[in-house]
Amino acid sequence: TISLLSFGLWGQTAEEDFHKYWDMGIAKYSSKDYKGAIDDFNKVIEFNPRKYADAYYHRGDCKAEIGDYKGAIEDYTKKIESAPNHSNSYSSRGGCKVKIGDYKGAIEDINKAIELSPKYVSSKEYYTRGLAKEGLKDTLGAIEDYTKAIEKNADYSKAYFSRGLCNIKLGN
């Protein structure tokens, strides 16, 4: 176990030191120092993993950015266990599942994200689900999702490109 005294970096209380690690983790993530942010979020999680489950979500984002998709999936899953209605965790986990080829799992996660927050669905969810459908050889389903992504964001060039490739596959 970790002694609360081990968090006394600045001679403050453990709770105050926790907030310093949290703030440093967010700042490092923002400046693309993902490994440094992971270290800080590790300390937050060591402090109190149940109370500060948001650190799992942010650490998952950092792991995804450095290509540790399995580690990110584990962190998003821990966040979901503590907050089953956190749609962003499902969306992010779905994106990582696409990266590792778990297309069915990705579709399940994206569907859950859409179900939980239908008003806040972005083009990213539809694009990601389109990628998963394409991975499962559901080209028509992929085109539908790429089209939805474009409807949400008319400037989403990757969605146009992917939809175009699917149309070429179909001979359109």
Side-chain angles (χ1 to χ4, degrees):
T1 64
I2 295 176
S3 164
L4 292 179
L5 296 176
S6 68
F7 284 88
L9 293 177
W10 294 279
Q12 299 169 329
T13 67
E15 183 75 15
E16 290 169 325
D17 285 343
F18 150 78
H19 287 290
K20 296 278 186 187
Y21 283 117
W22 176 264
D23 292 343
M24 288 189 309
I26 296 295
K28 288 176 184 174
Y29 177 84
S30 295
S31 66
K32 301 186 186 315
D33 176 8
Y34 302 118
K35 290 182 180 180
I38 289 169
D39 290 341
D40 290 330
F41 291 128
N42 286 342
K43 288 183 173 65
V44 170
I45 290 165
E46 289 170 8
F47 181 73
N48 189 334
R50 291 185 191 176
K51 185 175 179 183
Y52 303 112
D54 283 346
Y56 284 113
Y57 175 75
H58 292 294
R59 188 176 72 177
D61 284 346
C62 294
K63 288 179 178 180
E65 289 289 347
I66 63 172
D68 178 8
Y69 301 115
K70 289 182 180 180
I73 289 167
E74 290 173 11
D75 281 347
Y76 295 135
T77 299
K78 287 178 183 173
K79 173 60 180 171
I80 289 167
E81 288 168 356
S82 71
N85 293 326
H86 191 253
S87 62
N88 288 344
S89 292
Y90 288 99
S91 178
S92 296
R93 187 173 73 175
C96 289
K97 286 181 177 181
V98 166
K99 296 284 190 180
I100 65 167
D102 178 6
Y103 302 122
K104 288 181 182 179
I107 291 169
E108 289 172 7
D109 279 350
I110 299 299
N111 287 344
K112 185 67 174 180
I114 292 169
E115 172 192 324
L116 289 171
S117 297
K119 291 181 183 179
Y120 301 104
V121 177
S122 74
S123 56
K124 180 184 94 169
E125 281 81 19
Y126 290 115
Y127 178 75
T128 302
R129 192 171 68 182
L131 291 173
K133 288 179 179 179
E134 197 172 350
L136 292 172
K137 309 294 186 220
D138 177 7
T139 306
L140 289 174
I143 289 172
E144 286 178 23
D145 279 339
Y146 295 142
T147 299
K148 288 178 184 177
I150 292 165
E151 288 169 357
K152 288 275 188 184
N153 178 0
D155 296 326
Y156 204 166
S157 61
K158 290 195 297 188
Y160 284 103
F161 182 76
S162 295
R163 185 175 71 176
L165 290 177
C166 285
N167 278 309
I168 290 169
K169 286 179 191 174
L170 293 176
N172 296 337

